[in-house]
Amino acid sequence: MAKKLTLVTGGAGLIGSQIIEDLNHNGNTDILVVDHLGTTEKWKNLQRNFFQDYYEKEKFELMLDSGHPLLSEISEIYHLGACSATTEKDATYLIQNNFHYTKKLAEFAVSKNIPFLYASSAATYGEGEFGYNDQAAIENLKPLNMYGYSKQLFDLYAKKMGIADKVIGLKYFNVFGYGEAHKGDMRSLVLKGYEQIRDTGKLKLFKSYKPEYKDGEQKRDFLYVKDASKISIYLCSERKYGLYNVGRGIAETWNDLANALFVAMNKPVNIEYVEMPESLKDKYQYYTCAEMEKIGQTGYPFGYTNLRDSVGEYVRFLLEEEN
């Protein structure tokens, strides 16, 4: 019998590499990894994992277009590959990379009746003016940036084409953890903050420009990458189709995150509030919090890691790496 392959696109990224690590722990090394490594350091994320083969995204897309024989071995797809820069200005690139490529993979998976899990984003919710409910209509949502819109486009396409109940879409919230060093400006504040505190003894946070939020009291739903991976694997392996929020359902402040970092690094709390760049002011989310009832209804059994514990474990990884 032919080997069954798990395809993981974006497999050298933050969530993708964690999913591969967890699949390995579950005994699966029959994995096909697709990514675009370029000149980044994300190849290092592949070193900790075991897989059958690796393809650059452009080569794999040609294989997809030509109906390469290897495709017949694919039995499930985790599609995490995307341009995840919320500041990316090239809309043409985002449409091609995040929308058209996802369409191709989804159509392939649905035609073969194999589970297809893809990364949507909490960025699709815009300012949250319609809430953060993954069971509400998605047509009204107004993303604040082109990245969010490129993700929204596929969510809408899946619904319009009648395949939304044949694929698994995950609106990941603020995911952080080991494996994000390559992301430049898109690294989480946990990693940026760790480096700032290590180098200067203090952490810079943006001031608030809304009177209802004090400086540093803007809120996010922070999710540890290990939890993001567990949720993803559970939903895909159990074929729990639909569009889901992936967060913890708890909104915590940047100050909470800062305090967790200072505690983990055994340093006195020292926060400096700085001006936000003008380019971000009208695109800045002051509050995000995933409504998590829908995932709860699937019977997801593993729970979530609290902020202090996840930051603490991540900081230990970073300290070990440096020593």
Side-chain angles (χ1 to χ4, degrees):
M1 186 173 141
K3 254 198 244 182
K4 290 296 184 185
L5 287 174
T6 297
L7 172 64
V8 183
T9 74
L14 170 62
I15 301 173
S17 60
Q18 185 63 53
I19 284 175
I20 295 171
E21 183 174 315
D22 290 343
L23 289 171
N24 287 170
H25 286 164
N26 295 341
N28 182 1
T29 56
D30 296 327
I31 299 168
L32 193 62
V33 181
V34 173
D35 209 312
H36 174 63
L37 296 178
T39 56
T40 70
E41 296 284 285
K42 67 180 170 180
W43 61 269
K44 291 178 178 176
N45 284 342
L46 295 174
Q47 284 185 306
R48 70 186 205 257
N49 293 330
F50 299 93
F51 47 90
Q52 180 171 303
D53 210 345
Y54 171 88
Y55 289 97
E56 278 286 310
K57 180 204 166 223
E58 289 76 11
K59 171 75 188 277
F60 182 74
E61 203 166 355
L62 290 173
M63 292 164 66
L64 199 57
D65 292 340
S66 65
H68 192 280
L70 189 65
L71 300 176
S72 65
E73 296 179 32
I74 294 171
S75 59
E76 60 181 358
I77 298 174
Y78 293 87
H79 178 43
L80 288 307
C83 170
S84 60
T86 57
T87 52
E88 176 59 59
K89 296 285 194 295
D90 188 341
T92 301
Y93 171 69
L94 283 165
I95 289 284
Q96 173 57 36
N97 210 43
N98 294 3
F99 179 45
H100 289 298
Y101 183 41
T102 306
K103 278 202 302 186
K104 267 190 206 178
L105 276 172
E107 286 160 4
F108 165 77
V110 170
S111 72
K112 302 292 183 191
N113 192 30
I114 59 176
F116 176 75
L117 179 146
Y118 72 94
S120 180
S121 172
T124 57
Y125 286 117
E127 283 190 300
E129 61 269 51
F130 300 105
Y132 296 93
N133 183 352
D134 52 6
Q135 302 187 70
I138 57 176
E139 286 80 5
N140 298 327
L141 300 180
K142 292 183 171 55
L144 293 171
N145 51 52
M146 185 56 211
Y147 162 73
Y149 181 56
S150 70
K151 293 295 193 177
Q152 168 79 342
L153 273 175
F154 183 77
D155 294 344
L156 291 168
Y157 174 82
K159 186 171 181 178
K160 186 173 68 183
M161 299 304 290
I163 63 169
D165 60 350
K166 296 174 182 163
V167 298
I168 302 152
L170 302 188
K171 295 194 178 202
Y172 293 107
F173 276 65
N174 286 67
V175 180
F176 67 92
Y178 187 74
E180 61 172 315
H182 64 279
K183 292 177 72 168
D185 278 350
M186 298 314 299
R187 291 171 302 158
S188 74
L189 187 73
V190 187
L191 181 53
K192 288 179 179 176
Y194 167 83
E195 292 169 353
Q196 282 182 37
I197 295 166
R198 178 195 64 197
D199 297 343
T200 69
K202 70 180 176 185
L203 175 62
K204 293 179 178 179
L205 295 177
F206 288 140
K207 289 179 180 176
S208 169
Y209 300 89
K210 291 188 175 180
E212 62 268 37
Y213 292 91
K214 293 179 182 170
D215 290 341
E217 296 294 304
Q218 306 97 317
K219 290 186 170 183
R220 290 286 186 281
D221 191 335
F222 300 108
L223 181 70
Y224 195 29
V225 68
K226 289 189 174 184
D227 293 335
S229 173
K230 275 182 193 167
I231 293 166
S232 304
I233 291 171
Y234 170 78
L235 293 173
C236 193
S237 61
E238 298 291 326
R239 295 194 178 214
K240 301 289 188 181
Y241 296 120
L243 185 59
Y244 298 90
N245 285 337
V246 180
R248 284 187 303 137
I250 301 168
E252 293 176 276
T253 69
W254 293 112
N255 288 334
D256 291 331
L257 182 65
N259 282 310
L261 263 173
F262 282 108
V263 166
M265 296 178 73
N266 200 23
K267 304 266 191 187
V269 176
N270 182 3
I271 301 171
E272 178 187 349
Y273 300 102
V274 299
E275 300 292 334
M276 190 184 293
E278 287 296 327
S279 60
L280 278 184
K281 280 185 184 176
D282 62 344
K283 296 185 176 69
Y284 187 80
Q285 290 176 309
Y286 274 74
Y287 176 91
T288 66
C289 186
E291 291 190 24
M292 293 295 290
E293 284 173 24
K294 193 171 177 182
I295 277 186
Q297 289 162 2
T298 69
Y300 175 69
F302 299 116
Y304 307 91
T305 316
N306 71 49
L307 187 62
R308 192 157 282 203
D309 288 348
S310 51
V311 168
E313 182 175 273
Y314 185 16
V315 166
R316 284 194 296 278
F317 279 133
L318 294 170
L319 288 169
E320 282 170 17
E321 199 171 48
E322 289 182 359
N323 294 328

